[in-house]
Amino acid sequence: HPVKLEGVAVADLETFLRVLYPSDFSKHTATTANEWTSVLSLATKWSFTTIRSLAIRELFPLASPIDKIVLGHQYDIPEWLLDAYIAVCERPEALTKKEGERLGLDEVIKIS
């Protein structure tokens, strides 16, 4: 009797399970911002608070300021927002179209 997890991608579940059940407790198999974002998403969805905290801690140095703004709002991580907004506002280059689309109109207006 398989359990169907609606709205959960296989790759996201595999990454989450590798963090939850590591083959080597001294290191994590999730190493990229995308992988840790998957872990953060499922940990938040399923209320795994310690895994969520781990994902936030591991994702922080990997995430760009744009990632931190988007994920900070999406996953309620307010401590990421101020420094991320400052970094985006102080950088010499303008937002790219892709960054603007990720942020959404309200955030782009705040940044401008």
Side-chain angles (χ1 to χ4, degrees), residues 5 7-9 11-20 30 34-59 74-77:
L5 300 173
V8 177
D12 293 344
L13 182 61
E14 288 174 346
T15 302
F16 182 80
L17 291 175
R18 282 195 307 268
V19 170
L20 192 60
N34 285 340
E35 290 172 330
W36 281 112
T37 300
S38 294
V39 172
L40 175 62
S41 174
L42 295 181
T44 301
K45 181 176 187 169
W46 295 332
S47 301
F48 281 74
T49 55
T50 56
I51 301 295
R52 175 183 155 82
S53 296
L54 172 66
I56 290 169
R57 186 179 69 237
E58 295 294 322
L59 185 55
Q74 186 174 0
Y75 296 106
D76 192 29
I77 313 169

Side-chain angles (χ1 to χ4, degrees), residues 18-33:
R18 282 195 307 268
V19 170
L20 192 60
Y21 301 109
S23 57
D24 181 353
F25 283 96
S26 66
K27 59 184 171 185
H28 301 289
T29 56
T31 57
T32 67

